[in-house]
Amino acid sequence: MTVPAQPTTATHHVGGGVPGAHPGLASALAAAAEGDEIRIAPGVYREAVRIVRGVTLRVLGEEAGGRSGAVVLAAPGDGRPALEVAAGARVVVDGLEVEGEAADRPAVVLAGGRTEWSGGRIGGGRLEVHGDAGLAMTGTVLAGAALAGMLLRTGGSVALTDCRLLGTDGTGIVAGGSTRVELLRTDIRGTAGSALRVREDAAVTLRECLIDGAGRSGLLVEDQGSARLTDCRIRACASDAVRVLGSSPATEAVETAETASREAGGGGVRLHDCELSGTGGDSVRADGRGEVELAFCTLRDSGGSGITAGEDVRIRVTGTRIVRTGAAAVVVHGSARLTARETVIRASAANGLVAADNAVVHLDDSTMDECAYSPVHAGGSSEIRLRGLRITRTPEHGAHLVADARAVVESTWISDCGMSGVDLADSVRAELRGVAVHRTRNGVTAAGHGPTLLHGCEIADSERAAAVLGPGDQEITGGSLVRAGTAGLVVEPGAAPRVTGLEIRDAAGSGVVVAGGAEPRLNGVRILRPAKNGLIVDSGGGGVFEDCEIVAPGFPAVHLAGSAAPVLRRVRVQDAAEDLSAEPDAEPVVEECVSVRVGSAQWPQLAGAAGRKTPLAAGAVHGAAVTAGADGDREEPEESLDDLLGELETLIGLARVKQDVASLVKLMRMVHRREAAGLAAPPLSRHLVFAGNPGTGKTTVARLYGRILAAVGLLERGHLVEADRSSLVGEYVGHTGPKTQRVFQEAMGGVLFIDEAYSLAPAAGGGNDFAQEAVATLVKLMEDHRDAVVVIVAGYPDEMEHFIDSNPGLASRFNRTLLFEDYDDAELVRIVEQHAASHQYELTEDARDALGAHFSGVPRDHRFGNGRSARQAFQAMTERQAYRVAEIEAPSEADLVTLTRQDVPEAAGAAGAVPGGAA
């Protein structure tokens, strides 16, 4: 068998005094065959070299017998590049430095073939790659070119790894044609023009790259170009960091790091996990028909906007932060469309979002904070949809809509605005669903002519009116207006809104104010505790008010100015000094209206409802305030602290808890006295952890604790609001925050008691658990309202320790734990006796002994319910007694009320077991 001969390669030397060495590269290349290696000694070789066959050019270092120094191939100065690779050649270049003739001319031209270049340097001119040439370059410095540092227009692929492109007096890299470029850990610094320009059908991929100090844009994409950047930084550009004037269509969204790490393709301009900072213009500016995607990026400290989209651009944004912009953070105009979610906009020097012309914006689960102008501004014929937003801290409106804009705002929190939370003007069409507006000058102002719907919204703590409705087609369904600084609801001249199922609470002025010429229709509206009138209709005003309720107003419940002509149908006034005050020429229609505990009533008086313990004294003076509870009922007289502590002492067991509460009361009384004396109060956290097994009286003590704090003067009302995971955690994104806020709002002035709070701790392995959002919201609210609400979290001891440790905010706010120990057998017997006495039963002595034996035999496992088990045992005893007495033909009264040993359930069974399968 004949073995084929293997091709042989030769080594050729250039310079360095080696015997037989060639004087220059050109002669060595002429002598070299396909695959040969040319070793070059240090020195400067001024010649134009054209490579037409596959060779390797390798710099000869000292270890290979060369002299110390660089190997420089310099252009001869006759207009030719220093190095050229022809079509078909496969070339390896290692460590070579190339110096071109002039900065604005090519120093190296790759006209075809495939070149692998490592190390070295190209200076004094640009690198050109065209035809079908391919290039893989590693660790090379390119510097000193003009017009362009690299000019790429090839059907082959170009890859740069760990390279540096420095000081180009023009554009750093220009990629055109159908070029495919990949840059890995490559820097482009100090270009006079744009750092990277992608045009025609070219596509670039950058990973872990730096673009720094571009004289124009960092990345410029035009025509049908596409770019994908992953984990890159673009900083200190004189103009925009990313400028898109057109792109190929995007076919898939960048959602995760996994998708971002795939090969280039899919079109459009995509940035994943990138940082764009310190630009003189916008961080991202797109026009034409470009498509842009940003995922998990940071855009900060721009002189212009974070994102500007115009014409027919499509932009998708996910998980991105836009911080400290010199202009509006996001601007969308023309017919552009922007979709963003989980995005943070903070510290904009102007608006957070501006939508104009025919733009369409969808923004979900995002945050806007500290904008100098309105965080949301929409005008023209734009269309915006906001869902699950948190908009806070601005000196202007939270959302300002003008002209013909259309808006749908859902499950959104707006707070701390110097002007209105939402301001609707001109012909705006808007729907607000589940929106919470807190601490603004006016809550919602709808003064325009377009249709407006507010559904299930909560507007609280506005400096002035909670809601102002103008002459458009306005409608409010459900929701609440709470603690308005002036009126709860203002209906302006010419307005005819429809208001259904709304609750207006604790307005500092009147509940509803109707201007002259207004004709509102209110149905099922409750007005609770307004400081002035419940309803006031100005001269010339009217409207229909059906099935409404006014409770505890400070002034007459309804006041009608001259010529006011409303229809009052089935209006109920309760706990008022006066139900109706009307000027002589007012002409109301009053049908089936009634009063309950009204001092001076014009309407029929109804007897007080059950449970009302303090009816209003007859002859109450005009305008006298009536104090009422959360449900509109008159509050009980103030409770004595001694009586409350005595009530605590009557509880069975809980010796350790009673001692802890008594110590807290002493501390809080001292704090209250210092505050009353004008002295600084020591730091005191009133929030508590109740750790104990079920049935140990945690809810009972929490209710007493709130009443005690109210008696001490540290809580306004002291009522208890019970909650658990289902009350706080939403079912979809954007639902949890408002849900938690509503529960917290109900507890204002009292105690929020969260049972089984450990269920809010993060689950093992993480995951998309909205409970973490509930905890974060709760911690923030506890800080904002530290003196208005006491939060008590309760649950099993071990689980509660894990819960408190799960969030640093919880650990700092819950620094005191009350341990509720299990009841012993004797205490459980006393609890049964207490139940028996309240239901007119008596236990015999042998029944007590049998109960003690019963409880001593009940397993104290996870099913044991302490007081609950005692109640179940009592229920079982009454059921057994009923079956026993049923067998007596003529039972005596003693038989009917006596519980004996026979009625005690067997310890081996469940606490609630009954004989014969009876239920």
Side-chain angles (χ1 to χ4, degrees), residues 21-38:
H22 296 275
L25 274 70
S27 62
L29 287 167
E34 183 76 25
D36 285 358
E37 180 176 301
I38 298 173

Side-chain angles (χ1 to χ4, degrees), residues 189-506:
R189 297 173 181 258
T191 60
S194 297
L196 175 59
R197 182 181 182 187
V198 186
R199 55 193 304 265
E200 298 172 324
D201 294 311
V204 301
T205 299
L206 284 72
R207 296 187 180 90
E208 302 176 47
C209 294
L210 169 65
I211 294 175
D212 188 16
R216 292 186 180 175
S217 299
L219 169 65
L220 172 62
V221 181
E222 305 172 84
D223 306 323
Q224 294 294 308
S226 64
R228 174 172 287 182
L229 284 68
T230 303
D231 196 18
C232 295
R233 290 175 295 158
I234 303 177
R235 66 190 187 195
C237 300
S239 183
D240 308 318
V242 175
R243 182 78 166 100
V244 180
L245 296 174
S247 76
S248 59
T251 58
E252 64 173 297
V254 176
E255 298 289 349
T256 66
E258 179 183 356
T259 59
S261 65
R262 296 173 186 164
E263 296 182 3
V269 178
R270 306 178 177 195
L271 283 75
H272 186 284
D273 202 19
C274 295
E275 182 179 281
L276 283 54
S277 64
T279 60
D282 299 340
S283 294
V284 177
R285 183 180 182 88
D287 294 294
R289 298 187 64 84
E291 299 198 20
V292 181
E293 297 176 4
L294 303 174
F296 313 108
C297 294
T298 297
L299 317 180
R300 62 179 178 85
D301 301 308
S302 63
S305 296
I307 298 172
T308 297
E311 298 183 28
D312 292 318
V313 165
R314 300 292 182 266
I315 294 187
R316 291 193 288 269
V317 183
T318 302
T320 291
R321 294 173 52 84
I322 305 174
V323 183
R324 294 188 298 276
T325 57
V330 177
V331 178
V332 189
H333 60 94
S335 298
R337 184 183 185 98
L338 181 140
T339 302
R341 62 185 179 87
E342 298 172 10
T343 293
V344 173
I345 294 172
R346 178 164 291 129
S348 164
N351 302 101
L353 164 68
V354 174
D357 305 325
N358 295 300
V360 176
V361 178
H362 291 180
L363 187 56
D364 295 345
D365 307 317
S366 298
T367 298
M368 295 184 178
D369 187 28
E370 295 184 336
C371 296
Y373 300 165
S374 297
V376 175
H377 179 92
S381 298
S382 62
E383 176 184 323
I384 64 171
R385 190 203 68 198
L386 312 176
R387 180 181 297 158
L389 261 64
R390 186 176 182 88
I391 298 173
T392 58
R393 294 187 291 186
T394 175
E396 295 197 352
H397 304 295
H400 187 207
L401 280 68
V402 300
D404 295 308
R406 291 168 291 167
V408 175
V409 185
E410 299 176 306
S411 303
T412 288
W413 170 273
I414 300 174
S415 69
D416 302 291
C417 303
M419 300 171 74
S420 297
V422 179
D423 185 73
L424 309 173
D426 304 328
S427 300
V428 166
R429 288 169 284 174
E431 292 184 20
L432 279 61
R433 297 180 179 274
V435 175
V437 179
H438 285 223
R439 298 185 301 279
T440 59
R441 189 179 186 193
N442 286 315
V444 174
T445 303
H449 299 277
T452 301
L453 169 65
L454 277 67
H455 177 75
C457 297
E458 177 188 84
I459 304 172
D461 301 309
S462 57
E463 180 183 338
R464 300 180 68 178
V468 180
L469 303 182
D473 181 14
Q474 319 286 20
E475 183 175 358
I476 299 179
T477 60
S480 59
L481 311 179
V482 184
R483 293 186 300 278
T486 56
L489 173 64
V490 175
V491 185
E492 295 192 321
R498 302 176 303 281
V499 182
T500 306
L502 178 68
E503 184 169 278
I504 303 172
R505 300 199 305 268
D506 302 309

Side-chain angles (χ1 to χ4, degrees), residues 525-707:
V525 173
R526 300 187 73 217
I527 303 170
L528 308 180
R529 301 178 300 279
K532 296 183 178 179
N533 304 104
L535 166 64
I536 181 169
V537 182
D538 205 353
S539 179
V544 178
F545 305 85
E546 293 182 313
D547 300 305
C548 296
E549 184 177 13
I550 302 173
V551 178
F555 289 4
V558 178
H559 177 76
L560 307 179
S563 72
V567 175
L568 307 174
R569 183 177 294 127
R570 295 184 298 279
V571 175
R572 174 189 171 104
V573 174
Q574 180 176 307
D575 294 330
E578 194 174 350
D579 50 12
L580 177 63
S581 167
E583 294 182 10
D585 52 347
E587 298 179 349
V589 176
V590 179
E591 300 176 357
E592 304 178 63
C593 296
V594 296
S595 296
V596 178
R597 298 192 306 279
V598 172
S600 177
Q602 297 191 34
W603 298 341
Q605 285 267 31
L606 295 182
R612 308 296 198 267
K613 297 185 178 181
T614 314
L616 187 71
V621 297
H622 171 85
V626 180
T627 304
D631 59 353
D633 300 338
R634 172 179 296 278
E635 290 181 348
E636 301 293 332
E638 289 189 7
E639 296 181 292
S640 161
L641 178 60
D642 291 337
D643 290 344
L644 291 170
L645 292 175
E647 187 176 340
L648 177 65
E649 281 299 322
T650 62
L651 298 179
I652 295 170
L654 305 178
R656 184 171 174 179
V657 171
K658 293 172 184 175
Q659 181 179 355
D660 288 343
V661 172
S663 299
L664 280 170
V665 169
K666 291 178 182 178
L667 178 60
M668 291 175 184
R669 294 183 78 173
M670 182 272 293
V671 169
H672 188 57
R673 287 168 180 166
R674 285 183 62 88
E675 290 177 338
L679 300 174
L684 173 65
S685 175
R686 298 176 293 178
H687 310 300
L688 298 175
V689 178
F690 281 9
N693 293 322
T696 48
K698 296 187 291 295
T699 305
T700 300
V701 173
R703 186 173 285 108
L704 263 173
Y705 184 64
R707 293 161 60 195

